[in-house]
Amino acid sequence: MIECRHYDSFECRSCSLLEVPRARQLSDKEAHARSLVDSPVWLPTVAGDDAGFRNKAKMVVGGTVEAPTLGILDRDLTGVDLRDCGLHSPGMTAALDRIAAWIRTTALTPYDVRARAGELKHVLLTESPDSELMLRLVLRSTALEARVRSRLPELREAVPGLRVVSLNIQPEHKAVLEGEREIVLTPETTMPMRLSTGRTLWLGPQSFFQTNTFVAESLYEQARAWVGDLDVTRIWDLYCGVGGFALHLAGPGRQVVGVEASGEAIRSALDAQVAGAAFVAADATAWALEQDDVPDLVVVNPPRRGIGADLAGWLEHSGVPHVVYSSCNAVSLARDLALMPSLRPVEARVLDMFPHTSHYEVIVLLER
């Protein structure tokens, strides 16, 4: 078990299973997945490290101009500083310390939830496998944009790994992490995620990537291994994001179409320029229902709510021979599988994307 003074002092209990031995965490997750998904074969669970694994920090800014905190707000809406969180890599921790110091010297006023005053709401930091960083400052308005721009050289000198810096504008007084408007301040607008799988994904400020790089790589490798054993030439990757599955499955003699509602994610996917991979900005379900043909295999990687009745119904009646379903919520996965009785699990695997919590990823190969 890892030691955490914030957990011990009840300042932060986000790692709700921190006192549970890791082996027990894994066995409980496996048991939960098996109780919901009836697969004849369960591959060994992918665990990864139990500390220093997060590639992303989502920090609420609290405190004062003179002493800003980066972390969470307690029940009294007072800032709790979590810059030394053990889930972050050493590089992330060092960068957060320097960013906090820069916030103080730049006099970026933390947003006060109780008073509805101030500007800086969140600091969102992402680290690549090459130790490059993307920083997003979530502000209530553009009032401090000129000040941030003028002090940006000092920040980049203090944090040499910074590749992309942006302002996200979130003017509403509600518990929403970010707004729609993004102002990129650096010449670079995307950050490469060079994975050990041999593929590079490109992340824009609003792009989604799994928070655990090692487990994400294992997820893509598992899908690639399954598809490599099948006679598959045409694939759809629905809810493709920045193209994680599509880019790993595309190759000689194999065409993949990735579909994602986010235009920024699709632009990032196109930046990868992998032969055999094409991308469409559209609603995944609507796009699938509009097509006249059926591919050899469909990959679905939906949000926690699952794919829903419309897409599940289409998959059930489409005749598609194989589906790879990657899920961050085994409950919605089971609900969707019940709507597709003709597609049966062949193999499944749990991946511990979120150690010390009850959350996990599960990927299933379905065969008609």
Side-chain angles (χ1 to χ4, degrees):
M1 292 186 291
I2 64 173
E3 299 293 327
C4 177
R5 63 184 181 89
H6 303 291
Y7 182 89
D8 293 340
S9 64
F10 288 86
E11 287 183 317
C12 175
R13 306 288 282 194
S14 298
C15 294
S16 58
L17 303 182
L18 198 62
E19 295 177 88
V20 179
R22 186 78 189 285
R24 176 65 184 274
Q25 293 182 32
L26 295 172
S27 63
D28 285 350
K29 292 178 182 186
E30 292 167 4
H32 185 254
R34 285 169 180 257
S35 73
L36 292 166
V37 179
D38 182 19
S39 174
V41 177
W42 284 89
L43 299 173
T45 292
V46 175
D49 294 332
D50 63 355
F53 58 83
R54 281 191 66 98
N55 58 36
K56 182 180 293 184
K58 299 179 180 181
M59 314 298 269
V60 180
V61 182
T64 63
V65 177
E66 296 78 17
T69 61
L70 304 183
I72 60 174
L73 300 181
D74 64 17
R75 292 180 179 178
D76 298 323
L77 302 178
T78 300
V80 176
D81 198 279
L82 300 177
R83 280 177 280 162
D84 61 345
C85 173
L87 303 187
H88 299 145
S89 71
M92 293 266 283
T93 300
L96 288 169
D97 283 340
R98 294 167 184 172
I99 291 167
W102 176 82
I103 289 170
R104 183 174 62 252
T105 59
T106 307
L108 302 184
T109 312
Y111 183 69
D112 186 324
V113 176
R114 284 172 296 191
R116 300 195 179 195
E119 285 292 326
L120 183 58
K121 293 184 171 184
H122 299 100
V123 165
L124 310 178
L125 186 67
T126 304
E127 182 182 41
S128 79
D130 296 328
S131 299
E132 289 188 312
L133 296 162
M134 176 161 56
L135 171 66
R136 303 172 66 205
L137 302 172
V138 181
L139 299 166
R140 185 172 66 157
S141 73
T142 57
L144 299 179
E145 180 181 349
R147 186 184 303 175
V148 171
R149 286 184 181 277
S150 69
R151 302 296 294 273
L152 187 57
E154 295 173 33
L155 177 62
R156 301 196 76 174
E157 183 177 353
V159 187
L162 273 182
R163 177 185 174 93
V164 180
V165 180
S166 70
L167 304 180
N168 178 273
I169 310 304
Q170 205 294 81
E172 299 181 80
H173 179 79
K174 60 182 183 181
V176 174
L177 187 65
E178 60 189 74
E180 295 182 3
R181 186 181 178 191
E182 199 85 24
I183 304 169
V184 180
L185 306 180
T186 48
E188 301 84 0
T189 60
T190 57
M191 182 174 72
M193 300 288 285
R194 274 178 271 270
L195 305 181
S196 65
T197 57
R199 292 297 194 216
T200 298
L201 308 185
W202 291 85
L203 300 189
Q206 296 188 349
S207 298
F208 170 79
F209 183 75
Q210 302 283 7
T211 60
N212 189 323
T213 302
F214 170 78
V215 177
E217 291 169 338
S218 302
L219 194 66
Y220 300 142
E221 285 283 27
Q222 182 60 68
R224 184 153 62 181
W226 279 338
V227 172
D229 290 335
L230 300 173
D231 182 17
V232 169
T233 58
R234 296 182 305 132
I235 299 172
W236 293 351
D237 177 10
L238 306 182
Y239 307 96
C240 72
V242 296
F245 285 106
L247 296 172
H248 283 84
L249 300 181
R254 193 182 292 153
Q255 298 291 318
V256 185
V257 178
V259 184
E260 166 63 46
S262 166
E264 178 181 303
I266 291 298
R267 287 189 292 273
S268 296
L270 290 168
D271 285 343
Q273 297 182 347
V274 171
F279 295 93
V280 178
D283 175 80
T285 299
W287 184 87
L289 268 58
E290 290 170 356
Q291 304 310 302
D292 295 325
D293 62 342
V294 176
D296 303 311
L297 181 142
V298 175
V299 178
V300 290
N301 183 28
R304 287 191 62 79
R305 66 178 180 272
I307 62 174
D310 289 345
L311 183 53
W314 180 86
L315 287 169
E316 168 67 13
H317 299 292
S318 66
V320 62
H322 292 94
V323 173
V324 173
Y325 194 134
S326 177
S327 171
C328 60
N329 182 2
V331 174
S332 62
L333 167 62
R335 187 166 60 239
D336 289 336
L337 291 181
L339 300 174
M340 302 184 291
S342 297
L343 289 159
R344 300 295 298 166
V346 177
E347 288 189 351
R349 191 169 209 171
V350 169
L351 302 98
D352 194 21
M353 189 76 71
F354 313 100
H356 316 304
T357 76
S358 60
H359 301 292
Y360 60 89
E361 200 87 11
V362 59
I363 187 169
V364 185
L365 174 62
L366 306 175
E367 185 175 83
R368 188 169 295 277

